[in-house]
Amino acid sequence: MDKLKMLSKNTSDENFKIISNLFPGLITEKVTGYEDDGTPIIEKVIDVDLLNKEISERIVSNNEQRFQFTWPEKIKNIVETNTPIFKTLRPSKEESVNFNKTKNLYLEGDNIEVLKMLQESYLNKIDVIYVDPPYNTGTDILYINDYSDNEDEFGEKYEVDSEGNRLYTNTDTNGRFHTNWLNMIYPRIKLSRNLLSDEGFFLIAIDHNELANLIQVCDEVFGFRNRIAIITVVHKPEGRNQAKFIGPSNEFMLVYAKNESTAKLQKVVLDEEQKKAFGCKDRQGAYRLKNFIRLSDGKYATKESKPNFWYPIYVSPDLKELTLTKKKNYEAVYPVTDTGVERTWKTTSDTFLDRYKEGNIIAKEDNGKIRIFEKLRENQVIRTHWIEKKYHGYHYGTKLLDDLLETKTFDFPKSLYLMRDIVKLFCPKEGIIFDYFSGSSTTAHATMMVNAEDGGNRKFIMSQIPAECDKKSDAYKAGYENICEIGKERIRRAGQKILEDNKDKESIEDLDIGFRVLKTDSSNMKDVYYKPEEISQNFLDTLEDNIKADRSGEDLLFQVMLDLGISLSAKIDLENIDGKEVYIVDDGHLIACFDKDIDDDLVTKLAKKEPVFVVFRDSSMKSDSSLNNFDQIFKRLSPETTRKVI
Ligand SMILES: C[S@@+](CC[C@H](N)C(=O)[O-])C[C@H]1O[C@@H](n2cnc3c(N)ncnc32)[C@H](O)[C@@H]1O
């Protein structure tokens, strides 16, 4: 039976696989190290010289000039992005809401670790990633990427918070000002792209400080062609008062598609003014009535300037039938105003019939006169300047949150209505939206709100580091020790409020206002078993168990789910079979039992359920014969099942 690796994905291994699938002839073998006894370790590698030849002239190397964006430590940063981590996500049922039923997630911890751990379970699965990172204004706290377990390297330079996160206030007097910020943002964006589905979008908020650098980074990761828009969001129309020259009143939102040829926006009209103009509604949606063509200079077209648009329409006495053929008792109506001024219809006689059949041309009687109108449908026009009042940060971000939590808790949350429009426009009704700088959880609030409005079933994933609240702050005094506590409480209260506000809506009780809380932590597994190269064999022999003493069955289950690429919101049933705790995930997709003394009877019962994966503990079989029988039983009853141990 194979042993699970219990490490986050090594993304450079994935890149290796992609290149070797495209060019199998490039694979060769080389000595990459030596065993303790001197035996060479030989591994498959890519022959870069051959790769260059495959691509022929279209390469650039060494010091040749090229277009590039770089900064000190970029290369180190790329390598570190691909390096796996030895961590896990542990469930916290007490802090969750509807743990068993919800499909929403709240992931507590440094987002670089969260992103690395999600690389299997959410590969190509996320529809929208929206992030609002620290803008690097000169006072931002950056959490230093910590891929190693080595505390000493930076120990002197960085503070460590109570959770052990290394933090650093990045001031602009610091020589590494931009380097630090780029080192922080680049790997996160790179890992984000892997998670997006082919239809998906990546959106990132930023202000003028790092705009130029961020565009370069995103262009590099997503490709310039996938840059869909740079949207200007007016969040503080009065501008910042203390500005020396010009007080910024707007910020930006960069929008990238994973693949612009397959990405799709949802059909919605965001502009409130436009919505008001389309005041009528029928089964096809909102519309307004127009009768005659008006030209761009404001004047009306005439019979002379547009002769194709001038013709009689024959209307039946009950106004229900319109035709271009003369009929008995049908009245001929011309494009003429009440006062007899000649105009033109909005449609030529050639296209009239199609528009009429679509239900878009109607006749009405007005003061004894028949008038003919065309229905103009509401158009989806998404502009690059989002200036409406609903996007302003103070009233619809800060104030709204203060009211909901009944105290001042969080500086500069996004406007709820900004996030609502983003959810509506970018996330399909059954989609997943992921915000890994989630702060006060505005994105979660907006997702539930939009689902309540249109009956959608969008799921959210929030991720936030438990950054400590200042002891002198109102938030701390109100009992919030860190930002995660603010974010989670907001979701709890917002969910209740949305239910209350929509209590008369059909099926509102089905709205998912829950969330599963999972927290990053060191691996459940003792290092010796999973990093044997670092530990001597003798030491290994002295240990009995490979699992840390304080870890529960559910802790193990979630690490297994991460390893096997199973969604963290999958349904989990705990059954007692023959006195053992058996986890049945996703109605039998995965079956896991971490109890000891497993016998043939239990193995037979589980094999009969024919799971896709079955996982046991390495040392869990009752006897050596059970271990031998295990494989035989599965081969006989469920040969397709992938069998693993931890
Ligand atoms: C600008 S705020 C986001 C505000 C959010 N859009 C809202 O409406 O409430 C950025 C958030 O990212 C968090 N953060 C910063 N570095 C992080 C990291 N490495 N991992 C997770 N969260 C982080 C900060 O604590 C802060 O809450």
Side-chain angles (χ1 to χ4, degrees), residues 55 64 91-92 97 149 182 209 224 231 241 249 270 292 298 344 365 383-384 400 402 430 434 502 534 553 636:
I55 311 169
E64 284 178 90
S92 168
V97 174
D149 294 335
L182 285 162
N209 284 291
F224 158 75
I231 293 177
N241 306 332
S249 52
L270 303 179
F292 309 127
T344 52
E365 196 164 322
R383 301 195 170 85
T384 50
L400 189 144
D402 292 354
E430 296 291 322
F434 180 23
N502 293 278
E534 290 170 19
R636 189 163 43 83

Side-chain angles (χ1 to χ4, degrees), residues 109-111 132 143 188 410 413-414 437-440 442 464-465:
D110 189 338
N111 50 24
D132 176 18
Y143 291 84
R188 288 164 172 86
F410 189 83
K414 287 281 177 273
F437 284 104
S438 61
S440 68
T442 316
Q464 168 62 40
I465 201 160

